[in-house]
Structure formats: C-alpha cells, structure tokens
Amino acid sequence: MHSIYTFVTGPLVWVAFLVFIGGLAGKFVYLTSLAKNKDPYVFSYLHLKYALRSIIVWLIPFSTRNMRLNPVMTVVTFAFHICLIIAPIFLLAHVIMFEEAWGVSWWTLPDAVADVMTWVVLASIVFFVVRRRVVPEARYVTGPKEFVILGLVALPFLTGFLAYYQIFDYQTMIILHVLAGEAMLVAIPFTWLSHVMLYPMIRGYMGSEFGAERHVKDW
Amino acid sequence: MSEAALAQKIDDPGLDETAAKLTPERIRTTINRVLQQENSARLKAFVGTCVSCGLCSDACHFFLSHDRDPKYSPAGKVKQTLWEMIRTKGNVSQEFIVRAATIAYTECNVCKRCVQYCPFGIDTAYLMTVVRRICHLLGVTPLYLQDTSHSHASTFNQMWVKDDEWIDTLQWQEDEYRDEIPNLRIPLEKEGADFFYSVIGPEPKFRTQLIGQAAVLMNECGVDWTMPATPGWDNSDMSMYSGDLEIMGRIKRAHFETARRLRVKRVVMGECGHAYRSVYDVGNRWLGWREMPIPVIHALQFYWEMLKEGRLKVATQMEEPCTFHDPCNVVRGMGLHEMARDVVRAFCSNFIEMEPNREQNYCCSAGGGVINCGPPHTKTRVLGNRVKAEQITATGAKVLIAPCHNCHGGLEDIINHYKLDVKLVFLIDIIYAHMHKSNAI
C-alpha cells in the first residue's frame, strides 16, 4: 500500500502535471498556429483593451444580461469556480506536501473553510447534474460525456473529503483521492474542461471583434 | 394541424430535389473539405469549448417564440447540424443535409445575439454559416435564396434589375420628385463627387420612393453626390448568406471598384442592414481588406451627420407614439444605436423604447438571408418571432421605425400575422415628411 502511495504521489504527479500543462501548451500552440495559417485575421483584429474588457466583465457576477436572467445559475457557477480553484491550492494538507518536497509553502485556508468550499463544489456539481436532467435546453445538448466530465471533477473533492474525515479505509481513500485529482488534471486538455485556457482565448478574440470592430458590448 | 407543425412541413425543391442527387461520397468529401481545409482554428476552439450548458438559449427569438423548445436553441441547432457532421466524419444522409440546411438557412438569422449570452462568447452564427457553406457546396440551398444569388452572379444586383431599367428608374424618380423640388437632381456618374449613394436591389424594384426621398434629402443638405449608371450600384449581398463566398467576393469587389472608378471619397448606403455587414465584416475580409477599402457609412450615420452639421433641419415633429427597431447588423454589428436615437428623437416627440433594446434587441427574424428563402419559409420566420410581436405590442406605439430592408420585410409579415396595430416606416419616410424643405414649391 505504501509503495502505491509513494508512486501516485511521486512520479504520477509529475506525469499528471506534465500532461496537464504540456497538453494545454500544445493545444495553445496548435490552435494559434492553425489560426495563423487558416484564420489569419483573428490576429489582425485582436485588440488588447477590448479583449481584456470582455474577459474581465464576464468574470464579474451579474455584470451581463444573461447572468441577471439566470441568477441561481450565476451564483452557483461563480461559487463553484471560486471554490474549485481556491480550495485545492490553499488546502493545508496540499501545502504541507509541497513544503516537504520542495521546501516552499504559502498561506493556507483554515480546515473549516476548506470543508465548506468542498461542500460548495460537490453541491454545485449535484446542481449541474440535476439542471442538465431537468432544464430542457440543457438536457437536449447534454450527452453521457458531460456527466463523466462532471464526475471527474467531483471525484477528487469527494474522495478528499472522505479521506480527511477518515470515512472508509484512509489509505485506500487517499490513494483514490490522488488518482482522481490526477485524472482530472489529465482530462483538462482533452475535454471541454480546456475552457480554463480557451475562455480567455475566445473571449479575447470575440471581445476584440465586438469592442473594436463593431463598437458594441458583447454582454 | 397546429401552426408549429405546419411550419415544419416545408416543400422546397432547392432542398429536397438537390439533396436527392447527393451520393454519400460527395457529402463526406464536401463536409470534410469545409471542416478541415476552409475552417479550422475558430471552428475547433468554438466546438471544443462548448460545455453544452444551454445558456445561449435565452438569446434566440426562435427558442423564446417556440415556448423554449430546445430544438431552436443556438446550441441545439449546432447539435443537430455541425456536431453530428463532426462526430460522423461527414457520414450523414441526404435527409440529414436537408434538415441541416433548413435549420441553418431558415431557423437562424445569424444575428449574433447568442454570442452575447454564451459565457465563452462562442460565435454560433459563425458555426451556422459553416453549415450553410457546406450546404451551398452540396448544392442544397433554398430555391429562392439561390435565385437571388444567381441574380447577383448575372447582374451584380439582387433583383434581376437590368442595366437600362436601373438608369430609367433613377430618372423616373428624379422626374417624380421635381414636382415638389424643381431643382432636384439625381446626378449620374459624376466623377470626383464627395460620395456615391448606394442602395440595394429592392429599392429600384419595389421601394422606389426611397430613392426619391433620399434625393430630396441630398438636395436639401446641399451635398455633392452621385449614383453610378453601371452595375456595382447594388450594395446587397445575399451570396454572403447562401454560402457562395466566391460570388460574394465578386459583387463586393464590383461595389468597391465602382466607388474607386467614380473617385468618390466615400460611399453612403441606404437603410439596409445586411449590406452593411457585407462591407465592414464579411466581404472586405474575403477580399483581404482589414477594414473597408473605401469608407462606407450607413444611412443612420449620414442622417446623424447632416443633423449635427445643421444641414438637415427639422420642420415639424411627428407626434404619434413611435418605437424603434434596432437592426442587428447596424446595431450589434456597428453600434449605431445612439446615433439612430438622436435622429429619431429630433423628428419624433413621442418616442418609446422597446424592451430589450439597442444591442440586446430581438432580431426581426428576416435577416441573415432568411427572408430571401422565400414564401415556403415565411411561416417559419413569422412563428419563430412571436416575441417580436409581443415586444412591439408592449410599447403601445402606433408607428414602428425600422431602418433596414430585411427588417421591413420581416416586420411587415409579423404585423400582418399577429394583427398588430402599428404602421411600419423607414427613418427616411419620417425625415422626408418632417424635414425643412427650402427648395420645395
């Protein structure tokens, strides 16, 4: 058991991060060079001010008409993304591992807050699943793939939570937790989870088109 | 049969008969050519990023008018067309192509409102034009739209107007309006004029008074203008919407070259939306111009300029309650909404806003070439825009101003079908009726 633990928290972490970062970098290079060859005008219309305007406005809750039309979805989406990103980075247990490995550490969240954030992530995913089953326009375009991806995002949080509270066998759960986290990282470049990178890319371009060329807001 | 079911049952030989001739091989190679060779980066980014949340739905008037039927949501339309083409690597049936063409040509106005609703800014309108391009290359295009494109290819105008009929029409209008303004001229082929006034095919064909009224405006403002006596006078471009990009480029080039030949400083365009999109957004880019190769301004900009410079003077104001329809291509496309309101408020004392308005306005459901798909598809666009009727009714206005030809066609049908008590006008109709005419007798 211990050797499996050492393996998944050692070499496999490197592999996961390499695929995650390398995959996204590769996707970025692939899409930008493709755009240079086939859609060169994407670059002629890029406009820093309006690209940033679009990216920033869409990161502010209730700033767009559609966010105001769907208040519950807006609250859940923002809470979900904030917790999803903040909780793992500032979790005490994660920071300790970095400190032990590299001797670097940073500010950490109190465990109680991290707990709440985990709950928020899991509850949001339940909300997304229910929404995709219940809301006709979401249900119509949702396939099995979407639920698999949501599951991939939920698992690291669920297993992390179970491990922390030592529900079921701790050793097994912590290994599953690390594996689930690695699976999610690996999935990012190859699924629509890549919107973590494509969001600023598409917004930057469309924001430039709307702001600089069409002189109009894109929200 | 319900209205919605009737709208579904459409007989269009341009779709059915042409699709019946397709082989699986031709469908596959055409789809892959467009997906792999003509389009790539943007297409891949848009398709790969969509998380299928369905949040784009509230943007679409078809979706809202069909009681939130997900088949009409922007993402729903992509699912029924492009996703399936990509998933099957082009192995789709003739029936699939007919359905895809029906969706892309008649159930989407490529108005880009959904771009403003997608959290990522995915351009679903662009994706629908990719589907249209595929259908065009397969020869599966609504019959009437294809006829319009043929007209562009043969005559360089949208409505089969012959060269001599064009000149004759301008001279007729000059003659007609001289009753009121004796010194009125429509100067033809005047090289070096400040601008050339360009219109779209329907103006000489059946909305001829718009040319006469524009001439009155030019006369009163004392501008140095001209109109060409050769093909290239028409600024419209339905080939842009049918997916015939090669013809689109040819007619846009003819338009710009006519301006160059006349050595005018700029082109002023009549009240048309899609023609404006074709010069600042689509045609210019196809020809390799980042911007328009020669400045082209829309009628709304021109009226605004004339008003601000004091050349256009208000004699009386229209008192009837009126509202203003923001055409997608000049508002979401070029942000002319405030200029338009300045002009409307100058001439109308009782102006009421629609809700939502400006860049959030609902499309007329005729744009994007949909009205040019002809009578077989009229019900699709009228039933697909009940929200527009409700939006107009809610204002209580008696006059509806729409500074765009396609919007006019679409709104006219909506007014008739939903029995709205409102009169539809162009902005120039109001300006003509209420401007100060110092040369009139």
Side-chain angles (χ1 to χ4, degrees):
Chain A
M1 202 62 123
H2 189 70
S3 59
I4 299 176
Y5 177 77
T6 318
F7 176 69
V8 297
T9 55
L12 219 51
V13 175
W14 282 103
V15 172
F17 270 96
L18 273 177
V19 175
F20 165 55
I21 294 166
L24 283 183
K27 196 162 191 164
F28 181 81
V29 172
Y30 172 68
L31 283 174
T32 45
S33 61
L34 206 58
K36 265 192 184 128
N37 289 327
K38 305 272 188 174
D39 289 325
Y41 70 72
V42 166
F43 299 98
S44 18
Y45 292 105
L46 275 185
H47 191 291
L48 185 65
K49 177 183 156 193
Y50 291 109
L52 289 175
R53 180 179 83 161
S54 178
I55 292 167
I56 293 167
V57 164
W58 280 86
L59 289 176
I60 301 169
F62 297 103
S63 56
T64 74
R65 185 167 196 266
N66 205 17
M67 288 185 201
R68 293 190 291 273
L69 287 177
N70 297 280
V72 178
M73 184 64 174
T74 303
V75 170
V76 174
T77 310
F78 274 93
F80 166 76
H81 281 91
I82 291 167
C83 295
L84 177 81
I85 295 165
I86 301 290
I89 296 177
F90 296 103
L91 187 80
L92 179 63
H94 289 176
V95 176
I96 288 173
M97 291 186 81
F98 274 98
E99 194 172 10
E100 282 175 356
W102 292 346
V104 288
S105 72
W106 51 86
W107 179 84
T108 58
L109 283 166
D111 277 2
V113 177
D115 246 23
V116 172
M117 291 181 116
T118 307
W119 273 114
V120 170
V121 169
L122 292 172
S124 305
I125 290 175
V126 171
F127 173 83
F128 293 146
V129 169
V130 172
R131 182 180 173 275
R132 281 181 186 274
R133 299 292 301 165
V134 173
V135 175
E137 63 266 29
R139 186 188 168 103
Y140 185 68
V141 287
T142 294
K145 182 185 78 189
E146 274 65 51
F147 294 113
V148 173
I149 295 173
L150 284 176
L152 271 174
V153 179
L155 270 182
F157 290 86
L158 182 65
T159 51
F161 190 79
L162 294 175
Y164 179 77
Y165 283 99
Q166 312 219 351
I167 303 167
F168 306 119
D169 176 42
Y170 175 77
Q171 284 293 326
T172 316
M173 202 48 73
I174 199 73
I175 289 169
L176 284 177
H177 169 65
V178 179
L179 280 172
E182 288 162 351
M184 184 185 79
L185 284 177
V186 168
I188 289 173
F190 306 104
T191 60
W192 49 247
L193 293 176
S194 57
H195 70 250
V196 62
M197 179 184 75
L198 284 159
Y199 168 83
M201 287 173 79
I202 294 178
R203 277 249 148 264
Y205 166 63
M206 292 307 292
S208 303
E209 280 267 12
F210 268 71
E213 298 304 312
R214 307 179 200 283
H215 313 290
V216 77
K217 295 183 289 188
D218 62 336
W219 61 88
Chain B
M1 200 179 280
S2 73
E3 279 197 323
L6 264 174
Q8 296 263 316
K9 206 167 154 286
I10 290 160
D11 190 18
D12 186 334
L15 302 178
D16 307 323
E17 290 176 19
T18 48
K21 295 174 193 157
L22 295 173
T23 61
E25 172 68 14
R26 180 161 172 215
I27 295 176
R28 188 173 60 248
T29 49
T30 306
I31 289 177
N32 289 325
R33 170 187 152 183
V34 174
L35 296 186
Q36 306 298 336
Q37 294 174 23
E38 292 192 7
N39 298 276
S40 51
R42 279 185 301 162
L43 181 70
K44 283 196 166 71
F46 290 151
V47 173
T49 305
C50 180
V51 302
S52 56
C53 60
L55 283 172
C56 50
S57 309
D58 279 311
C60 186
H61 48 283
F62 277 97
F63 172 80
L64 297 171
S65 301
H66 285 285
D67 300 321
R68 309 182 72 83
D69 181 344
K71 285 203 297 296
Y72 292 98
S73 77
K77 292 175 207 174
V78 182
K79 174 194 160 140
Q80 295 170 78
T81 56
L82 212 50
W83 286 359
E84 196 60 14
M85 291 178 182
I86 294 170
R87 191 184 67 79
T88 59
K89 296 190 169 63
N91 289 303
V92 292
S93 66
Q94 294 168 347
E95 295 72 35
F96 177 89
I97 293 295
V98 172
R99 182 70 195 127
T102 308
I103 292 169
Y105 284 118
T106 74
E107 295 172 10
C108 171
N109 298 97
V110 291
C111 75
K112 289 190 192 269
R113 194 171 190 256
C114 45
V115 176
Q116 297 172 307
Y117 283 67
C118 171
F120 304 109
I122 292 171
D123 191 349
T124 306
Y126 159 77
L127 299 177
M128 284 297 115
T129 59
V130 171
V131 178
R132 289 182 182 195
R133 174 68 174 163
I134 290 170
C135 293
H136 159 72
L137 290 173
L138 289 170
V140 183
T141 318
L143 189 66
Y144 281 78
L145 181 63
Q146 189 55 48
D147 178 75
T148 312
S149 191
H150 285 327
S151 172
H152 276 305
S154 321
T155 66
F156 281 99
N157 72 70
Q158 194 195 115
M159 296 234 151
W160 300 101
V161 177
K162 292 177 188 157
D163 294 358
D164 58 337
E165 288 173 349
W166 163 246
I167 298 166
D168 202 41
T169 305
L170 297 181
Q171 291 181 338
W172 160 45
Q173 282 303 298
E174 181 181 87
D175 208 28
E176 189 85 2
Y177 281 81
R178 274 180 171 235
D179 281 352
E180 186 187 3
I181 316 269
N183 70 345
L184 181 123
R185 291 294 319 272
I186 296 183
L188 289 184
E189 291 291 311
K190 185 181 173 194
E191 271 194 35
D194 278 346
F195 64 88
F196 118 54
Y197 183 62
S198 82
V199 296
I200 84 168
E203 294 208 13
K205 197 75 175 181
F206 59 85
R207 286 177 183 148
T208 328
Q209 82 284 358
L210 294 175
I211 298 175
Q213 292 176 354
V216 173
L217 175 72
M218 305 301 178
N219 175 284
E220 184 55 36
C221 296
V223 289
D224 179 17
W225 69 301
T226 187
M227 288 184 96
T230 59
W233 55 264
D234 183 6
N235 51 33
S236 72
D237 202 333
M238 278 299 146
S239 305
M240 161 176 87
Y241 286 141
S242 76
D244 194 343
L245 305 181
E246 290 75 10
I247 294 296
M248 172 192 82
R250 275 182 60 203
I251 50 185
K252 238 8 53 179
R253 186 190 296 277
H255 188 60
F256 292 135
E257 284 181 350
T258 302
R260 277 277 177 262
R261 182 177 60 73
L262 290 170
R263 298 192 293 108
V264 291
K265 295 184 188 74
R266 59 181 185 170
V267 177
V268 175
M269 173 178 282
E271 292 180 37
C272 178
H274 92 276
Y276 203 41
R277 181 191 191 122
S278 79
V279 295
Y280 73 74
D281 185 343
V282 190
N284 58 320
R285 296 181 186 192
W286 174 266
L287 293 170
W289 295 92
R290 188 190 182 283
E291 309 286 344
M292 309 167 216
I294 181 161
V296 184
I297 67 162
H298 189 265
L300 290 175
Q301 285 164 294
F302 182 69
Y303 305 152
W304 185 83
E305 258 184 44
M306 292 297 110
L307 198 63
K308 293 290 151 185
E309 287 174 15
R311 293 183 178 206
L312 170 61
K313 294 187 188 71
V314 182
T316 54
Q317 277 195 319
M318 186 178 77
E319 284 167 11
E320 271 179 289
C322 72
T323 188
F324 181 79
H325 167 79
D326 290 276
C328 305
N329 287 318
V330 297
V331 170
R332 201 160 18 254
M334 194 41 98
L336 302 185
H337 39 278
E338 296 307 338
M339 284 185 186
R341 277 163 179 73
D342 285 350
V343 180
V344 170
R345 287 204 180 95
F347 283 94
C348 309
S349 58
N350 194 355
F351 169 58
I352 308 156
E353 286 283 9
M354 285 188 204
E355 289 299 331
N357 54 51
R358 295 178 169 84
E359 71 275 2
Q360 292 289 346
N361 194 30
Y362 295 127
C363 168
C364 62
S365 201
V370 173
I371 194 167
N372 291 68
C373 295
H377 305 280
T378 304
K379 279 221 151 180
T380 305
R381 64 179 160 81
V382 172
L383 299 181
N385 209 4
R386 194 189 66 215
V387 287
K388 187 86 236 172
E390 293 164 357
Q391 197 191 15
I392 296 167
T393 309
T395 63
K398 296 292 169 208
V399 177
L400 169 60
I401 307 167
C404 166
H405 280 273
N406 283 344
C407 294
H408 253 250
L411 294 171
E412 215 161 65
D413 291 332
I414 286 170
I415 289 169
N416 289 336
H417 180 85
Y418 296 99
K419 302 192 170 36
L420 307 185
D421 180 23
V422 65
K423 190 176 136 204
L424 181 65
V425 294
F426 284 94
L427 193 46
I428 187 78
D429 291 324
I430 293 178
I431 294 175
Y432 171 73
H434 295 276
M435 68 190 275
H436 179 69
K437 294 173 195 158
S438 53
N439 295 323
I441 48 168

